[in-house]
Amino acid sequence: MPEAKSSARGSNKGGAYVDRDKPAQIRYSNISAAKAVADAVRTSLGPKGMDKMIQDEKGDVTITNDGATILKQMQVLHPAAKMVRRSSCHCLVHPEHEHMLFMAEFGASNTSLLVELSKAQDIEAGDGTTSVVVIAGALLDACYKLLQKGIHPTIISESFQKAVEKGVEVLTGMSHPVQLSDRETLLNSATTSLCSKVVSQYSSLLAPMSVDAVMRVIDPATATGVDLHDIKIIKKLGGTIDDCEMVEGLVLTQRVANSSVTRVEKAKIGLIQFCLSPPKTDMDNQIVVSDYAQMDRVLREERAYILNMVKQIKKAGCNVLLIQKSILRDALSDLALHFLNKMKIMVVKEIEREEIEFICKITGCASPGKTVSIVVRGSNKLVIEEAERSIHDALCVIRCLVKKRALIAGGGAPEIELAVRLAEYSRTLGGMEAYCVRAYSDALEVIPSTLAENAGLNPISTVTELRNRHAQGDKMAGINVRKGGISNIMEELVVQPLLVSISALTLATETVRSILKIDDVVRLNI
């Protein structure tokens, strides 16, 4: 009997033992790890979703329901990842336990895949980072059931690709074109993205601010994208969210170095990336001066060197000087500050390297362009950071509308419409493809089901009624979490960019297909 069992499970060819069940075990362990991560963020979906309190290794606490932020922290704190890091140390593993270690390692790497998926959605659309992970988890659950029925992974992968291509057609067909001159529609989109945030009660302030900021830095007639680096968000502790404001200019957090000049009108700004201090040699050395005359000469040379630089700055007509931060030596000596003070030149030092490009744009020093600053205020660090993330999401929503000028209904309407139409599409196919496409369509019901569940509604009855409404041709029927029922979601002004839905669907499907086609993990002994 042991020999028969050995021949069924594997073979010994050329001295190497091959386990035939290993590919299936790898896929199942992979899917289980992904589903666990998706379930962890699932409760954060929607305007009634819960927030997560995350504590990192340094003890810093973050409170958020943003999918990308949660998963970025989980990459560090996930138990499977920690287990693999420990197992990579010099230790011995019993052969019987080697498969368990293998599963732990694959679970950790799979968690990394979902983190990358959420990052990709954040880069592409800026919103829908939780939805994309939840959809990926539901699709992997569908894959698990299909694999257990004996369907080959390649057939599942190709069928999913057909389904997503059809899904993009359906989403495009139910979208509505939007004009950037329609401020009301842009505000509705920004408000919808803010509804699920911790600072949702301030959406009436943050949404117009986000729309105005984007429209200031682009030309609506010709723009095909938005560079969010042109919108600088400055976090300032103190006050409340109500004190947040948009400034059409440059806001610096650094203090003025010379107290005698506090206000300058008709400013001519100079930005320098060199130091106003005595030069230093490339190598450490010591100079011993034993004669007072030599000491006096050194001081005179230093004074003349700095005075010459300050005169050149004054000659250029500069009356406000910004100095880049230096780590090699003092960016501004006391003597240089004294001379600048006498010449009535305002000085701001410690300008960070990351701020240089933004300052150059707004001052016109190099590649002039349109820029704005948003000052975010809050009573504590947690509130300020969440407000910054919320404003970033709202900015990304408007950017999506600039890139692809079309809107789609929210409230789970796109996903249930996809589920109904893909189920109809599956009946036109034959064989295993029809079965896989139907499983794909059923998996998409996870979004409306989760929205209903997080809002305290009965998910089964809500999704059933929603499916019936869409089957009768009511494409705009969605879950109204405010009223606790189903209504025309477009009339409730719950809208989102088409790009967010298309990006979430395609990226989730690509990730699932990639995971599905992996049947082994190779560890290199370096």
Side-chain angles (χ1 to χ4, degrees):
M1 287 295 291
E3 292 178 3
K5 185 177 180 181
S6 176
S7 62
R9 289 183 55 82
S11 59
N12 191 345
K13 295 180 181 179
Y17 181 75
V18 181
D19 189 351
R20 292 178 182 175
D21 291 340
K22 189 176 177 182
Q25 291 168 350
I26 289 294
R27 288 193 187 95
Y28 291 150
S29 63
N30 172 26
I31 290 170
S32 298
K35 284 168 59 181
V37 174
D39 288 342
V41 298
R42 190 181 167 198
T43 55
S44 298
L45 183 69
K48 299 291 184 181
M50 296 291 141
D51 299 327
K52 306 293 183 195
M53 180 181 285
I54 307 163
Q55 185 176 17
D56 62 14
E57 293 173 343
K58 297 178 182 178
D60 294 334
V61 175
T62 303
I63 299 175
T64 183
N65 62 0
D66 181 66
T69 305
I70 295 169
L71 287 174
K72 188 163 55 178
Q73 299 290 339
M74 285 178 67
Q75 188 182 17
V76 177
L77 302 175
H78 195 273
K82 281 191 173 182
M83 185 184 294
V84 174
R85 279 204 293 269
R86 292 194 190 105
S87 68
S88 63
C89 300
H90 297 289
C91 60
L92 296 175
V93 181
H94 195 275
E96 292 180 1
H97 300 152
E98 195 170 43
H99 177 62
M100 294 174 63
L101 178 62
F102 217 75
M103 288 177 65
E105 179 166 341
F106 201 75
S109 58
N110 185 52
T111 303
S112 177
L113 282 172
L114 287 186
V115 172
E116 293 302 319
L117 169 63
S118 185
K119 282 183 183 177
Q121 175 72 6
D122 197 29
I123 293 168
E124 178 65 22
D127 198 13
T129 51
T130 307
S131 301
V132 72
V133 176
V134 172
I135 291 172
L139 291 176
L140 284 169
D141 189 27
C143 291
Y144 184 86
K145 295 173 183 176
L146 293 171
L147 288 170
Q148 284 189 322
K149 294 181 185 296
I151 302 176
H152 197 275
T154 303
I155 296 174
I156 300 172
S157 176
E158 291 174 353
S159 301
F160 277 19
Q161 181 59 32
K162 281 189 176 182
V164 74
E165 289 172 0
K166 182 67 176 177
V168 171
E169 290 179 18
V170 173
L171 288 174
T172 306
M174 65 180 295
S175 65
H176 298 274
V178 62
Q179 299 296 326
L180 295 183
S181 57
D182 187 357
R183 178 179 168 81
E184 195 65 30
T185 303
L186 299 181
L187 285 174
N188 292 336
S189 302
T191 303
T192 301
S193 74
L194 292 169
C195 278
S196 60
K197 308 299 180 185
V198 176
V199 294
S200 58
Q201 65 268 32
Y202 299 102
S203 58
S204 59
L205 169 69
L206 301 181
M209 192 183 298
S210 303
V211 172
D212 291 340
V214 172
M215 300 310 288
R216 289 282 195 285
V217 300
I218 64 167
D219 181 2
T222 59
T224 56
V226 182
D227 185 1
L228 293 184
H229 291 105
D230 292 340
I231 303 171
K232 185 181 178 185
I233 300 178
I234 298 101
K235 296 179 287 186
K236 198 68 179 172
L237 189 64
T240 64
I241 303 293
D242 286 320
D243 299 321
C244 295
E245 60 178 327
M246 186 188 78
V247 178
E248 292 189 51
L250 178 63
V251 178
L252 295 172
T253 56
Q254 295 86 352
R255 292 180 178 273
V256 177
N258 46 351
S259 56
S260 63
V261 186
T262 57
R263 180 182 177 86
V264 175
E265 295 184 2
K266 297 181 180 179
K268 193 168 183 181
I269 301 170
L271 174 64
I272 62 173
Q273 293 182 277
F274 56 86
C275 299
L276 289 177
S277 58
K280 291 178 66 175
T281 57
D282 294 335
M283 298 173 60
D284 277 341
N285 52 33
Q286 288 184 343
I287 300 174
V288 179
V289 181
S290 56
D291 186 13
Y292 287 110
Q294 291 178 344
M295 174 68 74
D296 193 44
R297 182 183 174 188
V298 169
L299 292 175
R300 282 201 310 272
E301 290 289 339
E302 177 183 330
R303 182 185 179 91
Y305 174 80
I306 293 176
L307 182 59
N308 179 53
M309 287 196 295
V310 173
K311 283 181 176 178
Q312 294 294 328
I313 293 169
K314 182 65 176 178
K315 187 178 179 181
C318 173
N319 55 12
V320 176
L321 184 64
L322 309 180
I323 306 175
Q324 181 178 317
K325 186 176 182 179
S326 174
I327 58 173
L328 299 177
R329 58 193 173 107
D330 291 336
L332 180 69
S333 68
D334 291 339
L335 185 59
L337 183 60
H338 168 71
F339 287 141
L340 290 167
N341 210 15
K342 289 184 70 175
M343 296 182 183
K344 302 297 181 184
I345 298 175
M346 179 186 285
V347 181
V348 180
K349 60 179 184 177
E350 305 293 324
I351 302 295
E352 296 291 344
R353 181 179 292 272
E354 296 78 20
E355 298 176 329
I356 295 295
E357 185 179 352
F358 184 84
I359 293 172
C360 285
K361 269 192 175 182
I362 198 167
T363 56
C365 295
S367 61
K370 300 175 182 177
T371 56
V372 296
S373 304
I374 296 177
V375 181
V376 179
R377 292 187 174 273
S379 56
N380 58 63
K381 183 182 175 183
L382 296 176
V383 172
I384 292 176
E385 289 180 349
E386 183 60 20
E388 182 196 16
R389 284 190 291 268
S390 302
I391 292 172
H392 177 265
D393 282 359
L395 293 171
C396 288
V397 164
I398 308 303
R399 183 186 65 178
C400 286
L401 292 175
V402 174
K403 291 168 71 174
K404 198 176 188 71
R405 304 186 184 188
L407 276 176
I408 200 168
E415 288 78 16
I416 205 71
E417 178 70 14
L418 281 173
V420 171
R421 301 307 161 209
L422 288 177
E424 293 175 357
Y425 175 62
S426 68
R427 290 194 282 271
T428 65
L429 303 173
M432 294 295 183
E433 279 188 344
Y435 202 76
C436 295
V437 172
R438 181 56 191 258
Y440 185 98
S441 70
D442 291 342
L444 294 176
E445 292 183 359
V446 69
I447 296 294
S449 175
T450 304
L451 287 173
E453 189 177 339
N454 290 347
L457 305 174
N458 187 325
I460 297 174
S461 61
T462 303
V463 172
T464 303
E465 185 184 348
L466 198 56
R467 194 189 298 119
N468 289 336
R469 292 275 292 270
H470 279 260
Q472 294 168 7
D474 189 0
K475 293 182 179 181
M476 300 305 154
I479 299 172
N480 188 337
V481 294
R482 299 191 192 106
K483 297 179 180 177
I486 293 172
S487 60
N488 187 318
I489 217 70
M490 289 294 283
E491 293 177 358
E492 299 292 332
L493 304 179
V494 179
V495 290
Q496 64 187 33
L498 174 62
L499 185 61
V500 171
S501 296
I502 289 179
S503 175
L505 191 67
T506 52
L507 289 175
T509 307
E510 285 174 8
T511 302
V512 169
R513 292 184 68 211
S514 300
I515 293 172
L516 195 61
K517 299 189 80 171
I518 297 172
D519 68 348
D520 202 352
V521 177
V522 179
R523 290 176 293 173
L524 298 177
N525 295 321
I526 301 175

